[in-house]
Amino acid sequence: ADFNPVGTGFAFRSSGDEVYLLSGDVQTNLTGYLHGFNFGAAETGISFGRHLTSQGAEHFVAQRDLSLGATNAGPKVGPVIISEIMYRPPDLPGSVDNQDDEFIELRNVTSTSVPLYDLARPANTWRLHGGVDFNLPSGVTLPPNGTLLLVSFHPTNEVKLAAFRARYGVPPQVLILGPYSGKLDNSADNVRISKPDAPLAGGSVPSILVEEVEYTDSSPWPDGADGMGASLQRTSLTAYGNDPANWTAAVPTAGWDFGGGVPPIITAQPTDVTVVGLNDATFSVTATGTEPLAYQWRRNGVNLAGATNATFTFPAQPLGDALYSVAVFNPAGATLSSNASLTVLLPAKI
């Protein structure tokens, strides 16, 4: 079919548009079939194409090469990607949400520096948006293979900044920017990075989507990042990012590169425990994998403060039915044990 005949053709707007295919009969009545997409601003010389994720979801994204009349080249990745998301750090005492320890890591996956602003118009900068929002300051450049962290608190707060760097072992050369507005949702959210294009006539500045990640706290996304101490981490820096198959839950590596390893494997699960009330109860787990291994014990799915070793001992009290489990993780991955029950026996008394 000729979609652009002379005199009656149409064109797409470079600032964003939509395209849909509908079926009809010879009288031009619609017959029910519809397929299409909305798309955002297009970079000069870059096309959009249909991409199927590992879950069969259709995404219409920028392509790495033009492929008119041939198979789509595949999604364009980089030069800057979202490489790690800590959307739910372990809660503070009293089940208080711990927003200060959230972060989003950006990584330059190329061997050249990437300015995060328009060189011709330095005031036009890259932007984090979606569930949270932050305009990067002018003049920020990511070095080759470098990273930066975006956080919810103001980095000028020296106490919070020092605590954050100490908690995650962030190297001093890694730039930390913030605060972003809003909060990463603990169950599902959308995180996007966009860059400015050249202004259009009239002065409006198109925003070109560079990267997008839509995570959830349950399968097919790794659930180990949901409040147990692990973060979402990208497994392939050069593969399409908005796909749960390209993410794992692992020990946070904010600002540094672990370089692989063997994810933890539980070789001996916690077993049920029966104990007389007020005596010590002990649960334990045995796991293998690249050291160091980290542990977080949970009671009925809630983290237990200070229970961060392979063995967990506490004075048993008749608190009702309880199931205990433990998350084991290292920088290569995370796994959750099976549940073990605690039965507390009360001695007879007059």
Side-chain angles (χ1 to χ4, degrees):
D2 188 350
F3 286 98
N4 201 22
V6 175
T8 60
F10 65 90
F12 292 115
R13 292 176 298 174
S14 64
S15 59
D17 218 319
E18 58 185 17
V19 56
Y20 287 89
L21 178 67
L22 300 93
S23 63
D25 58 24
V26 294
Q27 284 79 37
T28 71
N29 297 308
L30 297 178
T31 55
Y33 178 82
L34 179 148
H35 185 260
F37 303 92
N38 294 324
F39 56 89
E43 207 168 355
T44 301
I46 300 296
S47 64
F48 291 98
R50 176 176 173 267
H51 173 72
L52 284 180
T53 71
S54 62
Q55 305 302 307
E58 289 184 311
H59 293 177
F60 199 58
V61 294
Q63 298 290 293
R64 61 176 178 265
D65 291 303
L66 298 175
S67 55
L68 181 63
T71 302
N72 287 350
K76 183 177 185 294
V77 178
V80 174
I81 65 166
I82 298 168
S83 53
E84 186 173 1
I85 303 173
M86 173 58 91
Y87 67 87
R88 190 184 180 187
D91 290 343
L92 299 173
S95 299
V96 176
D97 215 13
N98 181 8
Q99 186 172 353
D100 283 349
D101 286 335
E102 291 182 357
F103 67 84
I104 298 166
E105 179 186 82
L106 305 186
R107 182 180 293 267
N108 178 0
V109 293
T110 73
S111 58
T112 58
S113 295
V114 177
L116 303 183
Y117 58 96
D118 185 341
L119 289 175
R121 307 161 192 86
N124 295 346
T125 64
W126 290 41
R127 178 189 173 202
L128 170 74
H129 55 121
V132 295
D133 197 277
F134 180 68
N135 291 322
L136 275 76
S138 181
V140 175
T141 295
L142 263 181
N145 304 303
T147 61
L148 69 79
L149 301 176
L150 303 174
V151 297
S152 68
F153 63 89
H154 206 299
T156 57
N157 186 322
E158 295 183 1
V159 173
K160 287 188 175 183
L161 181 62
F164 181 87
R165 286 192 181 273
R167 179 177 300 280
Y168 295 122
V170 182
Q173 69 272 19
V174 173
L175 181 63
I176 299 177
L177 297 174
Y180 53 66
S181 60
K183 183 191 177 303
L184 293 172
D185 193 274
N186 289 347
S187 57
D189 217 331
N190 176 292
V191 181
R192 286 169 278 170
I193 291 290
S194 295
K195 66 179 182 179
D197 200 6
L200 301 174
S204 63
V205 179
S207 185
I208 295 172
L209 183 66
V210 176
E211 178 89 337
E212 179 176 26
V213 178
E214 299 173 279
Y215 68 82
T216 69
D217 65 349
S218 58
S219 182
W221 287 84
D223 58 6
D226 185 21
M228 289 179 279
S231 63
L232 283 179
Q233 296 178 32
R234 196 165 176 147
T235 54
S236 172
L237 301 181
T238 56
Y240 182 58
N242 198 11
D243 191 326
N246 196 21
W247 292 83
T248 189
V251 169
T253 58
W256 52 278
D257 189 5
F258 175 70
V262 179
I265 299 174
I266 294 178
T267 55
Q269 297 281 353
T271 57
D272 296 344
V273 172
T274 299
V275 66
V276 175
L278 301 183
N279 287 325
D280 285 348
T282 299
F283 289 98
S284 63
V285 67
T286 304
T288 62
T290 300
E291 298 287 347
L293 296 176
Y295 305 86
Q296 177 60 65
W297 287 90
R298 296 158 67 84
R299 180 181 185 274
N300 293 337
V302 178
N303 290 350
L304 292 166
T308 54
N309 296 308
T311 299
F312 169 47
T313 300
F314 60 102
Q317 299 181 30
L319 300 176
D321 294 339
L323 295 176
Y324 291 82
S325 61
V326 60
V328 185
F329 42 96
N330 64 11
T335 187
L336 185 63
S337 75
S338 58
N339 289 322
S341 64
L342 172 64
T343 300
V344 180
L345 303 178
L346 298 178
K349 65 178 182 178
I350 297 177

Short mmCIF file of all heavy atoms in Angstrom, two decimals, residues 28-62:
data_model
loop_
_atom_site.label_atom_id
_atom_site.label_comp_id
_atom_site.label_asym_id
_atom_site.label_seq_id
_atom_site.Cartn_x
_atom_site.Cartn_y
_atom_site.Cartn_z
N THR A 28 -15.35 1.15 3.58
CA THR A 28 -14.54 1.88 4.58
C THR A 28 -15.10 1.77 6.00
O THR A 28 -14.79 2.57 6.87
CB THR A 28 -14.39 3.38 4.22
OG1 THR A 28 -15.63 4.04 4.39
CG2 THR A 28 -13.88 3.56 2.80
N ASN A 29 -15.96 0.76 6.24
CA ASN A 29 -16.45 0.51 7.60
C ASN A 29 -15.37 -0.23 8.39
O ASN A 29 -14.76 -1.19 7.89
CB ASN A 29 -17.73 -0.31 7.57
CG ASN A 29 -18.85 0.40 6.87
OD1 ASN A 29 -19.16 1.55 7.18
ND2 ASN A 29 -19.47 -0.27 5.90
N LEU A 30 -15.14 0.18 9.64
CA LEU A 30 -14.16 -0.50 10.47
C LEU A 30 -14.66 -1.91 10.83
O LEU A 30 -15.85 -2.10 11.12
CB LEU A 30 -13.92 0.29 11.75
CG LEU A 30 -13.30 1.69 11.57
CD1 LEU A 30 -13.16 2.40 12.91
CD2 LEU A 30 -11.97 1.61 10.86
N THR A 31 -13.75 -2.88 10.80
CA THR A 31 -14.14 -4.27 11.04
C THR A 31 -13.54 -4.85 12.33
O THR A 31 -13.65 -6.05 12.57
CB THR A 31 -13.73 -5.14 9.84
OG1 THR A 31 -12.33 -4.98 9.60
CG2 THR A 31 -14.53 -4.75 8.61
N GLY A 32 -12.91 -4.01 13.14
CA GLY A 32 -12.55 -4.46 14.48
C GLY A 32 -11.08 -4.62 14.78
O GLY A 32 -10.69 -4.62 15.95
N TYR A 33 -10.23 -4.77 13.78
CA TYR A 33 -8.81 -4.97 14.07
C TYR A 33 -8.13 -3.62 14.30
O TYR A 33 -8.35 -2.67 13.53
CB TYR A 33 -8.12 -5.71 12.93
CG TYR A 33 -6.63 -5.90 13.16
CD1 TYR A 33 -6.16 -6.95 13.94
CD2 TYR A 33 -5.70 -5.02 12.61
CE1 TYR A 33 -4.81 -7.12 14.17
CE2 TYR A 33 -4.34 -5.18 12.83
CZ TYR A 33 -3.91 -6.24 13.61
OH TYR A 33 -2.57 -6.40 13.83
N LEU A 34 -7.29 -3.55 15.31
CA LEU A 34 -6.56 -2.32 15.60
C LEU A 34 -5.21 -2.68 16.20
O LEU A 34 -5.10 -3.55 17.08
CB LEU A 34 -7.35 -1.44 16.57
CG LEU A 34 -6.71 -0.11 17.00
CD1 LEU A 34 -7.79 0.94 17.24
CD2 LEU A 34 -5.87 -0.28 18.28
N HIS A 35 -4.17 -2.03 15.72
CA HIS A 35 -2.84 -2.25 16.29
C HIS A 35 -2.01 -0.99 16.06
O HIS A 35 -2.01 -0.43 14.96
CB HIS A 35 -2.14 -3.44 15.64
CG HIS A 35 -0.81 -3.77 16.27
ND1 HIS A 35 0.39 -3.38 15.74
CD2 HIS A 35 -0.52 -4.44 17.41
CE1 HIS A 35 1.37 -3.81 16.52
NE2 HIS A 35 0.84 -4.45 17.54
N GLY A 36 -1.32 -0.51 17.11
CA GLY A 36 -0.51 0.68 16.94
C GLY A 36 0.09 1.16 18.23
O GLY A 36 -0.04 0.51 19.28
N PHE A 37 0.74 2.32 18.15
CA PHE A 37 1.51 2.82 19.28
C PHE A 37 1.51 4.34 19.30
O PHE A 37 1.41 5.00 18.26
CB PHE A 37 2.97 2.36 19.18
CG PHE A 37 3.16 0.88 19.11
CD1 PHE A 37 3.23 0.23 17.90
CD2 PHE A 37 3.27 0.13 20.28
CE1 PHE A 37 3.41 -1.14 17.83
CE2 PHE A 37 3.45 -1.23 20.22
CZ PHE A 37 3.52 -1.88 19.00
N ASN A 38 1.67 4.91 20.50
CA ASN A 38 2.09 6.29 20.67
C ASN A 38 3.61 6.30 20.78
O ASN A 38 4.21 5.34 21.30
CB ASN A 38 1.49 6.91 21.93
CG ASN A 38 -0.01 7.03 21.84
OD1 ASN A 38 -0.55 7.32 20.78
ND2 ASN A 38 -0.69 6.83 22.96
N PHE A 39 4.26 7.36 20.33
CA PHE A 39 5.70 7.45 20.49
C PHE A 39 6.09 8.90 20.77
O PHE A 39 5.39 9.84 20.40
CB PHE A 39 6.45 6.92 19.25
CG PHE A 39 6.07 7.59 17.94
CD1 PHE A 39 6.74 8.72 17.50
CD2 PHE A 39 5.05 7.06 17.15
CE1 PHE A 39 6.40 9.33 16.29
CE2 PHE A 39 4.70 7.66 15.95
CZ PHE A 39 5.38 8.80 15.52
N GLY A 40 7.21 9.07 21.45
CA GLY A 40 7.69 10.39 21.84
C GLY A 40 8.56 11.02 20.78
O GLY A 40 8.58 10.60 19.61
N ALA A 41 9.31 12.04 21.20
CA ALA A 41 10.16 12.77 20.26
C ALA A 41 11.21 11.84 19.65
O ALA A 41 11.73 10.94 20.32
CB ALA A 41 10.84 13.92 20.98
N ALA A 42 11.50 12.07 18.38
CA ALA A 42 12.45 11.24 17.65
C ALA A 42 13.76 11.97 17.46
O ALA A 42 13.79 13.15 17.09
CB ALA A 42 11.87 10.84 16.30
N GLU A 43 14.85 11.28 17.70
CA GLU A 43 16.17 11.83 17.44
C GLU A 43 16.43 11.80 15.94
O GLU A 43 16.00 10.86 15.24
CB GLU A 43 17.21 10.99 18.18
CG GLU A 43 18.46 11.71 18.54
CD GLU A 43 19.32 10.92 19.52
OE1 GLU A 43 18.87 9.85 19.99
OE2 GLU A 43 20.43 11.38 19.80
N THR A 44 17.13 12.79 15.41
CA THR A 44 17.41 12.84 13.97
C THR A 44 18.13 11.57 13.52
O THR A 44 19.14 11.17 14.11
CB THR A 44 18.27 14.07 13.64
OG1 THR A 44 17.58 15.25 14.05
CG2 THR A 44 18.56 14.14 12.15
N GLY A 45 17.58 10.93 12.49
CA GLY A 45 18.21 9.73 11.93
C GLY A 45 17.92 8.46 12.68
O GLY A 45 18.47 7.41 12.35
N ILE A 46 17.07 8.51 13.72
CA ILE A 46 16.74 7.33 14.53
C ILE A 46 15.28 6.96 14.29
O ILE A 46 14.39 7.81 14.35
CB ILE A 46 16.97 7.59 16.02
CG1 ILE A 46 18.43 7.95 16.29
CG2 ILE A 46 16.55 6.38 16.86
CD1 ILE A 46 19.41 6.84 15.98
N SER A 47 15.03 5.68 14.01
CA SER A 47 13.66 5.21 13.79
C SER A 47 13.14 4.50 15.04
O SER A 47 13.90 4.16 15.95
CB SER A 47 13.62 4.23 12.61
OG SER A 47 14.38 3.07 12.90
N PHE A 48 11.82 4.30 15.07
CA PHE A 48 11.18 3.50 16.13
C PHE A 48 10.79 2.15 15.55
O PHE A 48 10.51 2.01 14.35
CB PHE A 48 9.93 4.20 16.66
CG PHE A 48 10.22 5.45 17.45
CD1 PHE A 48 10.13 6.70 16.87
CD2 PHE A 48 10.59 5.37 18.79
CE1 PHE A 48 10.39 7.85 17.59
CE2 PHE A 48 10.85 6.52 19.53
CZ PHE A 48 10.75 7.75 18.93
N GLY A 49 10.76 1.14 16.41
CA GLY A 49 10.38 -0.19 15.96
C GLY A 49 9.76 -1.00 17.07
O GLY A 49 9.99 -0.75 18.26
N ARG A 50 8.98 -1.99 16.69
CA ARG A 50 8.32 -2.90 17.64
C ARG A 50 9.33 -3.87 18.22
O ARG A 50 10.14 -4.45 17.51
CB ARG A 50 7.21 -3.64 16.92
CG ARG A 50 6.46 -4.69 17.72
CD ARG A 50 5.32 -5.26 16.87
NE ARG A 50 4.65 -6.39 17.51
CZ ARG A 50 4.99 -7.66 17.29
NH1 ARG A 50 5.99 -7.95 16.48
NH2 ARG A 50 4.34 -8.64 17.89
N HIS A 51 9.26 -4.02 19.55
CA HIS A 51 10.15 -4.96 20.24
C HIS A 51 9.34 -5.77 21.24
O HIS A 51 8.55 -5.22 22.00
CB HIS A 51 11.26 -4.20 20.98
CG HIS A 51 12.11 -5.08 21.85
ND1 HIS A 51 13.03 -5.98 21.33
CD2 HIS A 51 12.17 -5.21 23.21
CE1 HIS A 51 13.63 -6.61 22.32
NE2 HIS A 51 13.12 -6.17 23.47
N LEU A 52 9.53 -7.09 21.25
CA LEU A 52 8.85 -7.98 22.19
C LEU A 52 9.78 -8.29 23.35
O LEU A 52 10.92 -8.71 23.16
CB LEU A 52 8.44 -9.28 21.51
CG LEU A 52 7.22 -9.25 20.59
CD1 LEU A 52 6.98 -10.63 20.00
CD2 LEU A 52 5.98 -8.78 21.34
N THR A 53 9.29 -8.08 24.58
CA THR A 53 10.08 -8.41 25.75
C THR A 53 10.03 -9.91 26.01
O THR A 53 9.32 -10.66 25.33
CB THR A 53 9.57 -7.66 26.99
OG1 THR A 53 8.30 -8.23 27.38
CG2 THR A 53 9.40 -6.18 26.70
N SER A 54 10.75 -10.34 27.05
CA SER A 54 10.75 -11.76 27.41
C SER A 54 9.37 -12.24 27.85
O SER A 54 9.08 -13.44 27.83
CB SER A 54 11.75 -12.00 28.54
OG SER A 54 11.38 -11.27 29.70
N GLN A 55 8.50 -11.29 28.25
CA GLN A 55 7.14 -11.64 28.68
C GLN A 55 6.12 -11.49 27.55
O GLN A 55 4.93 -11.66 27.78
CB GLN A 55 6.73 -10.75 29.85
CG GLN A 55 7.69 -10.79 31.02
CD GLN A 55 7.88 -12.17 31.57
OE1 GLN A 55 6.90 -12.84 31.90
NE2 GLN A 55 9.12 -12.63 31.66
N GLY A 56 6.58 -11.16 26.34
CA GLY A 56 5.69 -11.01 25.21
C GLY A 56 5.03 -9.66 25.11
O GLY A 56 4.15 -9.45 24.27
N ALA A 57 5.45 -8.69 25.95
CA ALA A 57 4.89 -7.34 25.89
C ALA A 57 5.46 -6.60 24.68
O ALA A 57 6.65 -6.73 24.36
CB ALA A 57 5.21 -6.59 27.17
N GLU A 58 4.61 -5.82 24.01
CA GLU A 58 5.03 -5.05 22.86
C GLU A 58 5.49 -3.65 23.29
O GLU A 58 4.73 -2.91 23.91
CB GLU A 58 3.88 -4.89 21.86
CG GLU A 58 3.50 -6.16 21.13
CD GLU A 58 2.43 -5.89 20.09
OE1 GLU A 58 1.44 -5.23 20.44
OE2 GLU A 58 2.59 -6.31 18.94
N HIS A 59 6.71 -3.29 22.98
CA HIS A 59 7.23 -1.96 23.22
C HIS A 59 7.64 -1.36 21.88
O HIS A 59 8.20 -2.05 21.03
CB HIS A 59 8.43 -2.00 24.17
CG HIS A 59 8.09 -2.42 25.57
ND1 HIS A 59 9.03 -2.58 26.56
CD2 HIS A 59 6.89 -2.73 26.15
CE1 HIS A 59 8.44 -2.94 27.68
NE2 HIS A 59 7.14 -3.06 27.45
N PHE A 60 7.35 -0.09 21.70
CA PHE A 60 7.69 0.62 20.46
C PHE A 60 8.79 1.60 20.81
O PHE A 60 8.54 2.66 21.39
CB PHE A 60 6.45 1.35 19.93
CG PHE A 60 6.52 1.72 18.48
CD1 PHE A 60 6.71 0.77 17.49
CD2 PHE A 60 6.38 3.05 18.09
CE1 PHE A 60 6.76 1.11 16.15
CE2 PHE A 60 6.43 3.40 16.75
CZ PHE A 60 6.62 2.43 15.78
N VAL A 61 10.04 1.24 20.49
CA VAL A 61 11.19 1.96 21.03
C VAL A 61 12.17 2.35 19.91
O VAL A 61 12.14 1.80 18.81
CB VAL A 61 11.93 1.10 22.07
CG1 VAL A 61 11.04 0.87 23.29
CG2 VAL A 61 12.35 -0.25 21.47
N ALA A 62 13.06 3.29 20.24
CA ALA A 62 14.09 3.71 19.30
C ALA A 62 14.97 2.52 18.93
O ALA A 62 15.30 1.68 19.78
CB ALA A 62 14.93 4.82 19.92
#
